[in-house]
């Protein structure tokens, strides 16, 4: 794999220099994954990779060592090639009148990707992308539900989050049978649930309206829907943080950003650490536990600016 090396973190290069180099096209980034040359080629950052896309969800597939993302601009799921380029993994069913409005991205054990469509109260749904065959919208779901978050549980189930404008939000277990989806509520009375993660028996939710990260018992919620205030509040932020999508490491550590442009780490006990600040809005995040690095989907500072994937080392 032929690449041109840019200065690494060990050489003391700043975030700003990385961005100037990448956006200015002075050099190409050498960001190889293990499949492109071994573990010694892993870029742990800090690195900025410009991409012409409207980013939302990110998903790191540990088995494949590949990063996938949703792109609203093209209504596609893309895959990072491990350098400065991205390919289309799947073109999704035609976007509805409200737009692509893609949310969090997850994958089940059979290789099927699932992502949400927000839908603005008219076109909300979940899109399935099987390993073989054409992508499709799940039938049977209420279109007025504005869905953003979706993730898997340790036992292989799907969980999604939604809210209704002027009403309340919920977390549901999503069952899929023959192309049809059904939602069974797990947590009720939320404001605007956005990020979702499940670690062990912990169902963890970021609520953008309350600016809280709360953990609930998945076992209890499956027996009877829980109220929003029945969980354990792990961390409280401010509404200016605009909490967005979330990812969890294998040890239960949480990572999230938001419209406020700050990237956070939240430990299992609720200790908060700032990993980066002063960025444009942060959408999805994904964690590569094996290589101790975090990926963040960052919007351009201006609407005409390119988005970027930023790699953050986790030490």
């Amino acid at each position: 794999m032929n690449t041109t090396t840019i200065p690494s973190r060990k050489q003391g290069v700043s975030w700003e220099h990385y961005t100037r180099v990448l956006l200015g096209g002075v050099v190409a980034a050498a960001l190889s994954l293990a499949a492109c040359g071994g573990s010694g080629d892993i870029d742990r950052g800090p690195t900025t990779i410009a991409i012409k896309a409207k980013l939302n969800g990110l998903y790191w597939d540990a088995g494949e060592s590949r990063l996938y993302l949703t792109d609203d601009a093209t209504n596609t799921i893309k895959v990072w090639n491990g350098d400065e380029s991205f390919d289309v993994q799947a073109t999704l069913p035609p976007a509805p009148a409200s737009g692509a409005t893609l949310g969090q991205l997850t994958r089940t054990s059979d290789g099927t990707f699932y992502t949400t469509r927000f839908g603005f109260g008219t076109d909300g749904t979940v899109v399935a992308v099987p390993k073989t065959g054409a992508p499709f919208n799940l039938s049977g779901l209420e279109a007025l539900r504005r869905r953003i978050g979706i993730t898997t549980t340790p036992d292989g189930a799907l969980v999604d989050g939604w809210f209704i404008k002027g009403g309340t939000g919920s977390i549901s277990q999503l069952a899929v049978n023959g192309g049809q989806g059904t939602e069974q509520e797990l947590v009720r009375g939320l404001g605007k649930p956005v990020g979702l993660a499940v670690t062990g028996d912990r169902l963890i939710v970021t609520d953008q309206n309350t600016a809280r990260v709360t953990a609930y018992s998945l076992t209890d919620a499956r027996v009877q829907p829980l109220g929003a205030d029945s969980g354990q509040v792990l961390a409280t932020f401010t509404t200016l943080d605009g909490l967005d999508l979330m990812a969890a490491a294998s040890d239960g550590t949480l990572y999230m950003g938001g419209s406020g442009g700050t990237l956070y780490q939240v430990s299992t006990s609720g200790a908060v650490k700032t990993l980066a600040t002063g960025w444009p809005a942060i959408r999805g995040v994904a964690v590569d536990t094996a290589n101790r690095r975090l990926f963040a989907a960052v919007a351009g500072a201006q609407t005409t600016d390119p988005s970027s994937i930023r790699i953050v080392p986790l030490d």
Side-chain angles (χ1 to χ4, degrees):
M1 182 175 182
N2 295 322
T3 58
T4 303
T5 302
I6 62 175
S8 68
R9 181 168 64 96
K10 292 180 180 179
Q11 293 169 301
V13 177
S14 67
W15 280 104
E16 291 76 15
H17 179 67
Y18 263 103
T19 305
R20 289 198 303 271
V21 167
L22 210 53
L23 297 182
V26 179
V27 296
L31 307 170
S32 301
L33 290 172
C36 301
S39 59
D41 292 333
I42 294 293
D43 179 8
R44 298 189 58 243
T47 305
T48 297
I49 311 163
I51 175 173
K52 189 177 180 180
K54 186 176 180 183
L55 299 173
N56 278 292
L58 296 183
Y59 178 78
W60 175 257
D61 190 306
E64 294 182 356
S65 292
R66 304 192 83 182
L67 180 71
Y68 295 90
L69 56 95
T70 58
D71 177 12
D72 262 17
T74 58
N75 190 38
T76 61
I77 294 174
K78 291 180 176 176
V79 58
W80 178 45
N81 291 321
D83 48 26
E84 71 279 7
S85 64
F86 300 81
D87 286 333
V88 173
Q89 174 72 13
T91 298
L92 304 183
S98 59
T101 64
L102 302 173
Q104 195 165 353
L105 180 65
T106 194
R107 198 175 199 181
T108 51
S109 58
D110 65 358
T112 302
F113 284 106
Y114 291 91
T115 187
T116 55
R117 284 203 199 277
F118 185 71
F120 290 101
T122 57
D123 303 306
T125 190
V126 173
V127 184
V129 183
K131 201 165 186 178
T132 59
F136 59 93
N137 296 323
L138 296 185
S139 62
L141 298 179
E142 291 188 33
L144 78 166
R145 293 181 174 180
R146 303 172 184 226
R147 299 173 180 85
I148 302 175
I150 189 166
T151 192
T152 58
T153 66
D155 58 7
L158 286 166
V159 174
D160 69 355
W162 52 269
F163 70 97
I164 297 173
K165 187 176 182 179
T168 61
S170 295
I171 307 301
S172 295
Q173 183 158 303
L174 172 64
V176 181
N177 185 9
Q180 182 165 349
T182 55
E183 290 170 314
Q184 176 185 339
E185 286 184 90
L186 300 173
V187 181
R188 294 172 174 164
L190 295 164
K192 185 179 179 182
V194 182
L196 289 177
V198 181
T199 61
D201 189 48
R202 275 181 151 188
L203 169 59
I204 305 164
V205 184
T206 59
D207 190 323
Q208 202 170 86
N209 282 5
T210 62
R212 296 188 304 192
V213 181
T214 308
Y216 301 88
S217 166
L218 179 61
T219 299
D220 291 349
R222 282 171 165 171
V223 174
Q224 181 176 328
L226 304 176
D229 293 333
S230 66
Q232 175 193 5
V233 177
L234 295 178
T236 301
F237 297 88
T238 74
T239 54
L240 295 178
D241 284 302
L243 296 178
D244 212 302
L245 302 176
M246 175 171 52
S250 56
D251 65 357
T253 304
L254 305 171
Y255 300 94
M256 68 205 70
S259 59
T262 300
L263 185 65
Y264 292 110
Q265 173 183 291
V266 180
S267 73
T268 55
S269 63
V272 177
K273 178 181 179 181
T274 297
L275 300 179
T277 191
W279 291 359
I282 302 166
R283 308 300 186 196
V285 290
V287 59
D288 174 9
T289 301
N291 293 299
R292 299 296 300 155
R293 59 181 177 170
L294 186 71
F295 299 93
V298 181
Q302 305 294 327
T303 55
T304 55
D305 292 343
S307 299
S308 61
I309 301 293
R310 301 198 185 191
I311 305 174
V312 180
L314 299 175
D315 293 318

